[in-house]
Amino acid sequence: MKRVIIALDFDPSAQKVAEEGYALAKALKAKVTLVHVKADADYYSSLGQVVVIGFSGHLKDDLPIAPDRIDPDTISQEFLNKAMLHLADKNIEVMVANGSCANSLIDAANQLNAYMIVMGSHSRKWFENTTIGSVTQKVLLGSSIPVFVIPTNKNRID
């Protein structure tokens, strides 16, 4: 059976990416794996209050928690579990990946023998989405399987 991986981050657009990626996977009659590439504790402590797909993080009163009190594995797993619950499909698999975002997504897709990678674009303009250094560009250039990019910014220019 085909498998689609959906890359999710802590950006508010993750809900749109999850929902649209899931709809695409279901139309393709594919299995779904939600993937989050784990960041270091400093990243999570700098976010402030995070509310995405029913996940409200561990950060209270908009005050960051010290990095030494944050467990990136636990936060990442809880985030993906909430996304799975939001999509209301117990057959969804979740995966927390490690390393650089682009390489980790490509590696996860290869490891899972994925048919497609679905990810969001955070840029204001579609063309800018593939600027040098962006995760999207690196995945587009480095993947041997199709990449479906969901534009997530309302102010984008086609």
Side-chain angles (χ1 to χ4, degrees):
M1 179 177 236
K2 296 177 187 173
R3 178 178 305 273
V4 171
I5 69 165
I6 303 171
L8 298 177
D9 59 15
F10 279 72
D11 189 84
S13 65
Q15 181 169 337
K16 178 180 179 180
V17 173
E19 291 169 353
E20 291 185 17
Y22 179 77
L24 174 64
K26 291 294 114 184
L28 294 169
K29 297 181 180 170
K31 290 183 178 182
V32 175
T33 302
L34 304 177
V35 178
H36 173 72
V37 179
K38 179 180 74 173
D40 61 20
D42 289 331
Y43 168 76
Y44 298 106
S45 70
S46 70
L47 290 174
Q49 184 65 24
V50 176
V51 180
V52 180
I53 317 176
F55 175 83
S56 59
H58 298 272
L59 312 179
K60 297 179 181 176
D61 303 322
D62 291 330
L63 297 174
I65 295 175
D68 62 338
R69 294 184 48 219
I70 291 178
D71 179 11
D73 288 308
T74 300
I75 289 175
S76 299
Q77 191 66 48
E78 286 180 18
F79 170 67
L80 290 174
N81 290 341
K82 288 288 187 176
M84 180 181 63
L85 287 173
H86 174 77
L87 296 170
D89 183 344
K90 293 181 181 180
N91 294 316
I92 293 174
E93 296 176 3
V94 298
M95 177 182 193
V96 176
N98 296 300
S100 72
C101 281
N103 290 338
S104 295
L105 289 173
I106 292 167
D107 290 346
N110 290 333
Q111 176 186 345
L112 297 171
N113 197 26
Y115 174 77
M116 179 183 297
I117 299 170
V118 175
M119 59 190 306
S121 159
H122 301 309
S123 81
R124 293 182 182 200
K125 297 178 182 174
W126 171 250
F127 181 75
E128 289 176 2
N129 187 39
T130 57
T131 57
I132 299 294
S134 74
V135 173
T136 304
Q137 180 188 31
K138 289 177 183 175
V139 173
L140 285 167
L141 293 175
S143 178
S144 60
I145 64 170
V147 179
F148 187 82
V149 180
I150 298 172
T152 59
N153 191 305
K154 294 178 185 176
N155 298 321
R156 69 182 179 85
I157 298 172
D158 292 326

